[in-house]
Amino acid sequence: LTVRHSDDEMGEDLEEVAMNRMATEHLAERTLILRYFGEIREEADQLVETDNPVTRLVEECQGFWTAMLVSEAAHDSKVEKRVHAARTAVLEGLEKMRGEVEALRAHPAGEERAEVAEVREKLR
């Protein structure tokens, strides 16, 4: 997904944002909690119509809950990127090793022994 971001000082920027679908059962639990917060706030508003401390408390809880969800999603995204980068690095390393093994197979036996020892040292 590409998002257009406008900053008064810097102008407009385009930013690529990865979006992942959350499992339905995971999302349902979170939605239910937010719905409960809304119902509690509505009940509190009906009991007292002026400045209601319960309403403010519920709104604060909703804000904290939302911030927690955003933070958790950002953390999950960061972990996913790191795992992907590690996987890519491992695959690239394996491909490099395959190339070195193939190069060793192409050399005469005497040279091969020296290079095999060198590769073994690298792997330690």
Side-chain angles (χ1 to χ4, degrees), residues 31-42:
T31 303
L32 189 59
I33 289 174
L34 287 175
R35 192 178 95 206
Y36 288 161
F37 278 139
E39 289 175 10
I40 291 168
R41 189 175 82 205
E42 287 174 14

Side-chain angles (χ1 to χ4, degrees), residues 2 14 25 31 40 45 57 79 81 86 94-95 99 106 113 115:
T2 302
L14 292 179
E25 60 275 0
T31 303
I40 291 168
D45 283 344
L57 180 62
V79 167
K81 286 177 184 175
L94 285 172
E95 196 59 38
R113 286 190 204 121
E115 290 197 24

Side-chain angles (χ1 to χ4, degrees), residues 18-82:
M19 297 189 71
N20 296 322
R21 235 184 121 123
M22 188 181 292
T24 304
E25 60 275 0
H26 195 60
L27 184 62
E29 292 171 351
R30 291 160 186 257
T31 303
L32 189 59
I33 289 174
L34 287 175
R35 192 178 95 206
Y36 288 161
F37 278 139
E39 289 175 10
I40 291 168
R41 189 175 82 205
E42 287 174 14
E43 288 294 323
D45 283 344
Q46 289 177 6
L47 295 174
V48 181
E49 292 192 24
T50 58
D51 191 27
N52 187 341
V54 175
T55 301
R56 283 197 313 271
L57 180 62
V58 170
E59 287 172 353
E60 237 180 278
C61 287
Q62 283 177 312
F64 289 139
W65 179 255
T66 301
M68 185 183 74
L69 293 179
V70 168
S71 176
E72 184 180 316
H75 175 264
D76 290 350
S77 177
K78 203 178 287 184
V79 167
E80 184 179 340
K81 286 177 184 175
R82 287 181 181 161

Side-chain angles (χ1 to χ4, degrees), residues 93-104:
L94 285 172
E95 196 59 38
K96 183 178 177 187
M97 281 191 248
R98 282 188 187 113
E100 289 178 1
V101 168
E102 289 301 317
L104 289 175

